[in-house]
Amino acid sequence: TVHDLRVGGAATAALVTGGATTVSARVSGSRENDYRSLLVGAGLGRELAQRTTQLELSFAASLDEVGKRADATFSRGRQSLQLTGSWTQVLDRRTYLDVVADGLAVLGYQANPYRSVPIEGATTGLYRVEEATPTRRLGVALVGRLRRAFDEAGHWFATIDYRFYADEWGVRSHTA
């Protein structure tokens, strides 16, 4: 039986200045039996062209500590930095086009602390070695999204989107 309890919290604040510019800040944290995380971030948004174009830029930094439930001495650090830029264009009263670029850098421990590789030696027998991964991962994601509202109030949307992701570990993905 696996039992885990996650306790977390978050706070976000936003200030609209001059009617068209938004400045925001956020902080969140969580704690589990074997994981702790703290994230801080800030953003800046601006509406242009009579509020038909919106540009946003945000940055977030996370400090994480990876542990192992059965080993109180196991502690590995991981940091991540994320920069996101987005452009939203109103095409008509119900149709919006979004383009998002997202860059991510993860530094530090990135393996799974519960995964190991079995090795069988001729004289040593079977033993296990911890999973090993590089300590740096740089990646980028690009998203294109078209949204169409079913109603004038914009409560219900049909959405079609495409996401491309690539990183320096050789991972490439296409999601539609």
Side-chain angles (χ1 to χ4, degrees), residues 73-153:
T73 64
F74 184 93
S75 177
R76 305 289 188 274
R78 175 170 53 204
Q79 304 82 39
S80 61
L81 305 170
Q82 184 174 15
L83 182 64
T84 303
S86 68
W87 167 62
T88 299
Q89 183 64 51
V90 176
L91 301 178
D92 64 36
R93 292 182 63 169
R94 293 186 183 185
T95 311
Y96 307 89
L97 174 66
D98 303 303
V99 177
V100 180
D102 195 20
L104 181 66
V106 182
L107 308 169
Y109 185 76
Q110 297 182 54
N112 181 331
Y114 298 106
R115 195 172 332 180
S116 60
V117 178
I119 306 283
E120 186 169 0
T123 59
T124 58
L126 184 66
Y127 63 98
R128 299 188 83 75
V129 177
E130 280 189 20
E131 175 183 60
T133 60
T135 58
R136 184 184 93 166
R137 188 174 199 171
L138 303 177
V140 65
L142 301 172
V143 177
R145 177 181 306 118
L146 187 63
R147 299 178 285 154
R148 174 78 178 167
F150 287 118
D151 60 336
E152 286 291 328

Side-chain angles (χ1 to χ4, degrees), residues 15-57:
L15 172 66
V16 178
T17 62
T21 302
T22 303
V23 178
S24 62
R26 65 184 169 133
V27 63
S28 66
S30 66
R31 181 183 181 114
E32 301 174 41
N33 293 329
D34 57 0
Y35 202 92
R36 285 154 191 64
S37 180
L38 174 66
L39 179 136
V40 294
L44 179 64
R46 177 84 176 157
E47 291 180 337
L48 305 167
Q50 299 176 343
R51 301 183 75 176
T52 62
T53 302
Q54 182 171 348
L55 301 174
E56 292 184 7
L57 185 64

